[in-house]
Amino acid sequence: VLSLCCEACKKVIFHVPSELEADTLVGRVDLKECLQSAEFISSSDGNFKILEDGSVYTTSAVSLSAEKKTFTILLKDIQEHVQKKIHVNLVEEEKKKTRHARDTVLKRTKRRWGPIPSVMIENSLGPFPLQIQQVQSDTAQNYTIYYSASGPGIDQDPKGLFYIERETGNIFATRAVDREQYPSFQIICFATTPDGYSPEVPLVHTIRIEDDNDNAPYFTQDVFEFLVPENSKPGVIVGKVTAEDRDEPYTLHTTLKYRIVSQNPLLPPAFSLHGDTGVISVSSPQLDRELVPSYTLLIEVRDMAGQPFGLCTTGTAVIKIEDTNDNAPSFKQIQYETRVEENRVNVEILRVSVVDLDEPGSPGSGAVYEIIRGNDDRSFEITTDKNTNEGVLCVVKGLDYENAKQRILVIAVNNEAPYMLAPHSQQLSQSTSSVTVHVLDVDEGPVFKPCLLRLEVKECEEIGANIGRYVAEDPETGNSEGICYRIPPGQCNWISINEKSGEVRTIKVLDRDVGEMRRGQCNITVLAIDRNGKTGTGTIQVVIQPGNKNYPRITKTDYIMCRDRKPICLTAQDGDESPYSTPFVYRITDRSLASMWKISRHNDNSVYLSPNSDTPFGVYDIPVSVTDNGGKVGEHNVRVNLCDCVTPTECNGQSRELSAGNVTLGLWAILAMILGSLLLLLILITICGCCGSGVMHRHVTDDCANHNLIISNTEAPGEEVMDHNIIPLQNTNDQGGYGIKTGEQQTFEMVKGRGHTLESVKGGGHQTLGSVKEGGGQPVMDTCRYSYSEWHNFTHPRLGEKVHLCRQDEEQKHSEDYLLSYNYEGKGSLAGSVGCCSDQQEEEALDFLDQLEPKFRTLAETCVKR
């Protein structure tokens, strides 16, 4: 708990009007007299507020109705645990006696409480203290007024610079002031009565320090550096110098003027300077870097608009002349001579130099050399040495003394930068120099002509065949006498060369299908040696040309053809390359067989072989010749078994043996055969299941004529129809189908529609099941009953034919038509087969309907009357 010691410090009385408006200054209390450091200042009356300087203001309109009002100012120092109180009494001031109009004396008084801002000269010489202003309040006519002030220069830094006389209000300065440090001061003046009452609002008074030209201008840089291209035209701006002045801006003290004091070198004047802006520009049209590389200017800046009594400062500006390529390079010599041995390559033979007055190392002086004449074969090359700027002439292709004993070259030189014509110079022609190169004779080895010889050899050429001749010449004599030839070891061993004559022969059969010869060519290096032991080298490129060494072969020669007589595709292959392979020409060489069989074209390497329509069944050995594009013939014997079958498997044992080695069943064909067998087994099981429990005769009684199965395609309950659109359960001879099992023999009736018999599954013929039994094509409609063996004999070959078609079709189209999958549809009916139910022998045996599942009882009740 913070405990403060509180005691009354003093009492203050303010004489005020009876009516006080809001924000009216009541008076000023010296707070520091009671407490030096008051951290908390408050008033006991909310109508008054106290500022930190002790000024008391009203917060709202106050009326002194009781002629006296009292409140307390509370001061607290929390750190020192001290609390002080100041009692303030407000007393209504006495009203002045009212004068009559005739007794009123008009007196004009001069109000001095609000004077104009004071002015003090910077760096004033005194004498000090120097009076600079006086403040006076009009209330001094009615009260005794004491004046005081606070603010910078009085009780704030710089302290003690000004003070105010308490009785007169005169403001004095105690010493000189620097305007650049303190351009002005704002002080607060107070007018109070001896008892502390402030009849006037505190006055904010400004003391302005009038500038004195006590600061000379100065340049912003010690040295200004500029670049200007040589040969620049007059008026081109070089740069700008800038200076500043600390004196008061926008006065003569800071109005600056520039001028060039001197130039080094002195003459002629090359630059001008704008006096107000400090911009330097070119004034001479002859800025030549080669004569004067740089200029130094001494520049003066003066304030007071350049008047003689103004303060001034000088600075330096260095202007460098930037080089341009206004000097063309020139050779030091106009003619050079040099020597080089023949056949020397990549050797330096000469260095040439030039003179250029432009700045060294710049693009304007960098030399670029070129050979403009005498180098048509590109045997020479000239480059620039960046360190010395010299041209280096080299031989890059061997020279031949026998062809030319000397070469004359013309070399020209330019600069990296384009040439710029100076105003005082003339256009110069390109500098050139001639170089005479003497070629020295050297004893050199033999030379093959040409250096690369291409020899083309037919494939399978005989060993020792002469395929060409490769000789070299002595460059000095121009003939081949005394030169011997040799092939160094370690190369492909295809050819040999005669040591004396240079004849080239094969030493093995060149076959493109064997080992290293498959790439078809080989480069072989040959040496030529003269009498002095000098050697020369050449290259023989041996290229093997494809030959017609293989005859075409038919890939398959054994076939089985059924009664459909589908053409056979014969395909041949040839190991040779074009143009000795396709297209092939097929021909039947036997005349008698050629009249029975014919060949039709399929593509370049395949044909179709098909028999004529009258060709009888049998096994044929057909001689077929195949001729390739190169004329080579291959003879083959094609065996075709023309069989009276639907599928090739139905042919005799010999035919099956012939085809067993060549025909394989694919995955789809095997799958089709398995599914076909399963389907056949399912049919047999179904037939046996229908008649497996003995002979069952079912008749529908006569009173069931009106109980029929209603044909409907709706799933909602339908109306009961008695006599329309019915399917009678009464058996007839020409509708439906039924089977009867008696003893060990099974018969099956197959009647479709009214008077239509089952057609062949092949679709192309009209053979019926009755024709199988009787051997004819006429249907038997009287009984329509056949044995199971006859039904099996009728269906089995046709089902096999369909399976064969599934196997033969590469696109598997028949499998989509005949190989169908069926889902399980529930267990079988207790009534058995419909065919069995249509038997008429047991007419009253309908009690099986009592064992039907619940869902069929409604149907049964509809069909049977109890």
Side-chain angles (χ1 to χ4, degrees):
V1 178
L2 180 62
S3 63
L4 298 176
C5 178
C6 182
E7 59 177 316
C9 178
K10 64 178 181 179
K11 294 183 179 181
V12 178
I13 300 174
F14 292 125
H15 295 273
V16 296
S18 60
E19 299 292 339
L20 295 176
E21 297 179 356
D23 295 328
T24 301
L25 177 64
V26 177
R28 185 166 177 263
V29 180
D30 190 357
L31 302 179
K32 293 185 179 180
E33 185 178 350
C34 289
L35 192 59
Q36 288 292 331
S37 58
E39 298 179 0
F40 180 78
I41 304 172
S42 64
S43 173
S44 62
D45 190 341
N47 292 324
F48 300 93
K49 63 180 179 180
I50 294 87
L51 303 182
E52 293 182 357
D53 60 354
S55 300
V56 181
Y57 286 88
T58 59
T59 58
S60 61
V62 178
S63 177
L64 300 179
S65 58
E67 297 183 356
K68 187 176 181 180
K69 189 173 182 66
T70 302
F71 64 91
T72 302
I73 300 175
L74 181 62
L75 305 178
K76 293 181 181 180
D77 187 346
I78 299 177
Q79 295 183 354
E80 299 293 335
H81 305 285
V82 178
Q83 181 172 298
K84 297 288 184 178
K85 288 184 179 181
I86 300 175
H87 298 285
V88 179
N89 294 328
L90 301 181
V91 180
E92 184 179 358
E93 61 183 9
E94 298 179 357
K95 296 183 179 179
K96 295 182 180 180
K97 183 180 180 181
T98 304
R99 297 179 180 181
H100 297 285
R102 61 178 180 271
D103 297 332
T104 300
V105 177
L106 297 177
K107 183 179 179 180
R108 184 175 182 271
T109 60
K110 184 177 182 181
R111 184 175 181 87
R112 298 295 301 278
W113 185 238
I116 63 174
S118 303
V119 176
M120 179 181 177
I121 302 298
E122 180 186 14
N123 300 322
S124 176
L125 299 178
F128 297 103
L130 177 65
Q131 182 180 355
I132 59 176
Q133 188 58 279
Q134 181 186 14
V135 294
Q136 190 174 2
S137 175
D138 290 343
T139 60
Q141 298 176 5
N142 302 323
Y143 301 97
T144 298
I145 298 298
Y146 294 138
Y147 300 96
S148 62
S150 67
I154 297 178
D155 54 0
Q156 299 178 17
D157 292 333
K159 295 180 180 180
L161 182 58
F162 305 102
Y163 70 90
I164 186 170
E165 285 186 344
R166 184 182 183 193
E167 291 80 8
T168 62
N170 292 328
I171 301 175
F172 293 90
T174 61
R175 59 183 182 272
V177 182
D178 185 5
R179 190 207 68 83
E180 285 69 41
Q181 187 176 4
Y182 302 105
S184 65
F185 298 88
Q186 282 189 345
I187 62 176
I188 301 176
C189 300
F190 301 95
T192 60
T193 60
D195 58 0
Y197 172 66
S198 299
E200 296 280 4
V201 177
L203 173 67
V204 178
H205 182 63
T206 301
I207 302 175
R208 187 177 62 84
I209 307 303
E210 186 175 346
D211 184 47
D212 181 30
N213 191 20
D214 59 341
N215 291 283
Y218 61 92
F219 286 101
T220 57
Q221 298 181 24
D222 295 336
V223 178
F224 292 91
E225 295 184 352
F226 304 104
L227 284 176
V228 62
E230 65 175 329
N231 303 318
S232 295
K233 295 180 181 180
V236 175
I237 295 177
V238 177
K240 180 181 180 180
V241 294
T242 55
E244 296 178 352
D245 197 319
R246 297 181 59 196
D247 290 325
E248 187 174 0
Y250 310 110
T251 64
L252 282 174
H253 299 166
T254 55
T255 302
L256 308 180
K257 285 286 185 180
Y258 303 88
R259 72 182 183 92
I260 296 177
V261 178
S262 63
Q263 172 186 298
N264 184 26
L266 298 177
L267 297 175
F271 303 96
S272 61
L273 178 63
H274 194 281
D276 295 330
T277 61
V279 175
I280 303 174
S281 58
V282 177
S283 61
S284 174
Q286 297 182 352
L287 293 181
D288 192 352
R289 190 206 64 85
E290 287 72 35
L291 297 178
V292 181
S294 66
Y295 292 85
T296 302
L297 303 180
L298 182 63
I299 301 175
E300 177 192 84
V301 59
R302 187 183 294 269
D303 59 14
M304 301 301 292
Q307 298 182 33
F309 54 82
L311 302 179
C312 67
T313 303
T314 58
T316 303
V318 177
I319 303 175
K320 294 182 179 180
I321 308 302
E322 190 176 11
D323 182 51
T324 58
N325 189 23
D326 58 343
N327 294 281
S330 60
F331 284 99
K332 292 183 179 180
Q333 296 178 226
I334 61 174
Q335 189 173 1
Y336 294 89
E337 288 190 10
T338 184
R339 291 175 175 78
V340 63
E341 294 179 351
E342 64 175 335
N343 300 322
R344 294 290 300 274
V345 180
N346 296 327
V347 59
E348 177 184 329
I349 60 174
L350 180 65
R351 281 180 174 256
V352 296
S353 57
V354 296
V355 176
D356 197 322
L357 299 178
D358 292 320
E359 185 177 3
S362 67
S365 64
V368 178
Y369 300 90
E370 62 175 337
I371 303 173
I372 61 175
R373 191 161 54 248
N375 191 31
D376 297 336
D377 57 352
R378 305 290 182 181
S379 298
F380 300 91
E381 184 181 83
I382 187 167
T383 57
T384 303
D385 188 339
K386 297 297 183 180
N387 297 325
T388 61
N389 208 32
E390 294 178 327
V392 181
L393 182 63
C394 299
V395 178
V396 295
K397 188 185 296 184
L399 302 178
D400 190 359
Y401 173 81
E402 288 71 25
N403 291 335
K405 296 179 174 57
Q406 71 176 16
R407 301 282 294 272
I408 298 177
L409 308 176
V410 177
I411 302 175
V413 64
N414 293 298
N415 289 126
E416 296 176 4
Y419 178 74
M420 299 180 62
L421 182 64
H424 59 276
S425 62
Q426 296 180 354
Q427 182 68 42
L428 300 177
S429 59
Q430 187 180 35
S431 178
T432 59
S433 178
S434 64
V435 178
T436 302
V437 181
H438 298 281
V439 183
L440 304 180
D441 186 21
V442 177
D443 186 13
E444 51 192 338
V447 177
F448 283 97
K449 293 184 180 180
C451 58
L452 175 65
L453 178 63
R454 178 184 174 93
L455 296 178
E456 296 183 355
V457 185
K458 291 184 179 181
E459 191 175 12
C460 299
E461 191 75 53
E462 296 180 357
I463 299 177
N466 186 357
I467 60 175
R469 188 167 180 264
Y470 197 32
V471 297
E473 296 180 354
D474 191 336
E476 281 75 20
T477 61
N479 55 52
S480 303
E481 295 180 0
I483 298 176
C484 60
Y485 306 95
R486 184 167 60 88
I487 296 177
Q491 305 181 75
C492 54
N493 190 21
W494 291 6
I495 62 172
S496 64
I497 188 169
N498 188 277
E499 183 178 357
K500 299 298 183 181
S501 63
E503 290 184 353
V504 181
R505 296 180 179 272
T506 60
I507 59 176
K508 62 170 59 176
V509 177
L510 302 184
D511 190 348
R512 291 170 60 92
D513 297 333
V514 178
E516 63 179 5
M517 302 182 191
R518 292 179 180 176
R519 58 189 177 183
Q521 70 176 29
C522 180
N523 294 337
I524 302 171
T525 302
V526 180
L527 298 180
I529 306 172
D530 62 7
R531 295 187 180 93
N532 298 326
K534 298 286 185 179
T535 61
T537 60
T539 302
I540 297 177
Q541 186 180 68
V542 180
V543 180
I544 303 176
Q545 295 294 331
N548 193 14
K549 62 179 181 180
N550 298 301
Y551 60 87
R553 301 174 181 270
I554 297 178
T555 56
K556 181 181 178 182
T557 58
D558 293 331
Y559 296 93
I560 297 176
M561 181 180 293
C562 289
R563 68 179 64 161
D564 57 359
R565 305 196 176 210
K566 183 178 180 180
I568 299 171
C569 183
L570 301 179
T571 302
Q573 294 180 350
D574 194 329
D576 296 325
E577 297 180 2
S578 178
Y580 301 108
S581 58
T582 58
F584 299 139
V585 177
Y586 292 78
R587 190 171 63 88
I588 300 175
T589 57
D590 187 276
R591 291 186 178 181
S592 60
L593 292 175
S595 62
M596 303 171 62
W597 296 82
K598 62 180 179 180
I599 290 177
S600 59
R601 177 181 172 82
H602 178 214
N603 52 34
D604 286 348
N605 61 341
S606 301
V607 294
Y608 288 120
L609 177 64
S610 59
N612 294 332
S613 58
D614 56 350
T615 302
F617 295 109
V619 178
Y620 296 88
D621 290 329
I622 306 171
V624 178
S625 66
V626 184
T627 306
D628 61 17
N629 199 36
K632 204 155 191 175
V633 181
E635 298 288 345
H636 304 85
N637 192 37
V638 178
R639 169 166 290 188
V640 180
N641 182 5
L642 184 57
C643 180
D644 185 10
C645 63
V646 177
T647 61
T649 57
E650 299 178 11
C651 294
N652 54 27
Q654 181 179 2
S655 299
R656 293 190 184 100
E657 292 177 359
L658 291 174
S659 61
N662 297 321
V663 179
T664 58
L665 295 179
L667 177 62
W668 286 104
I670 296 174
L671 181 61
M673 295 178 66
I674 294 174
L675 293 177
S677 301
L678 293 177
L679 182 61
L680 179 60
L681 180 61
L682 180 61
I683 294 173
L684 296 177
I685 293 175
T686 302
I687 295 174
C688 295
C690 293
C691 303
S693 59
V695 179
M696 298 178 64
H697 300 276
R698 294 291 181 264
H699 286 279
V700 180
T701 58
D702 295 336
D703 56 355
C704 293
N706 294 328
H707 299 277
N708 302 284
L709 297 180
I710 301 174
I711 299 176
S712 175
N713 60 354
T714 177
E715 297 179 357
E719 297 179 358
E720 182 178 358
V721 180
M722 300 300 295
D723 297 320
H724 302 284
N725 298 325
I726 60 173
I727 301 177
L729 295 177
Q730 184 69 28
N731 183 47
T732 60
N733 288 333
D734 56 354
Q735 289 186 354
Y738 60 88
I740 300 174
K741 180 178 180 182
T742 57
E744 294 298 326
Q745 185 172 354
Q746 298 179 7
T747 62
F748 196 78
E749 180 184 69
M750 295 297 298
V751 181
K752 182 179 180 182
R754 183 179 296 272
H756 297 281
T757 60
L758 179 66
E759 296 181 356
S760 172
V761 294
K762 188 175 180 180
H766 297 281
Q767 187 179 6
T768 63
L769 186 61
S771 65
V772 177
K773 179 180 178 182
E774 298 180 4
Q778 299 296 328
V780 180
M781 296 300 297
D782 50 356
T783 60
C784 294
R785 300 178 184 271
Y786 307 99
S787 65
Y788 171 73
S789 59
E790 294 170 344
W791 164 252
H792 180 269
N793 294 334
F794 178 79
T795 58
H796 182 70
R798 283 152 183 78
L799 182 61
E801 181 181 359
K802 292 302 179 181
V803 174
H804 172 66
L805 293 176
C806 294
R807 180 174 62 87
Q808 290 294 327
D809 195 347
E810 297 178 355
E811 297 182 356
Q812 305 297 329
K813 292 182 178 179
H814 292 89
S815 64
E816 297 178 0
D817 296 335
Y818 301 107
L819 300 182
L820 304 179
S821 60
Y822 297 90
N823 291 328
Y824 177 69
E825 297 181 354
K827 63 181 182 178
S829 173
L830 296 176
S833 172
V834 176
C836 298
C837 293
S838 35
D839 197 336
Q840 299 181 2
Q841 294 183 9
E842 298 183 25
E843 297 180 353
E844 285 93 19
L846 297 177
D847 53 337
F848 71 94
L849 296 175
D850 295 331
Q851 286 79 33
L852 295 178
E853 292 181 358
K855 63 176 66 177
F856 294 103
R857 288 179 180 176
T858 303
L859 179 63
E861 291 173 358
T862 304
C863 297
V864 179
K865 285 185 179 182
R866 295 293 182 182

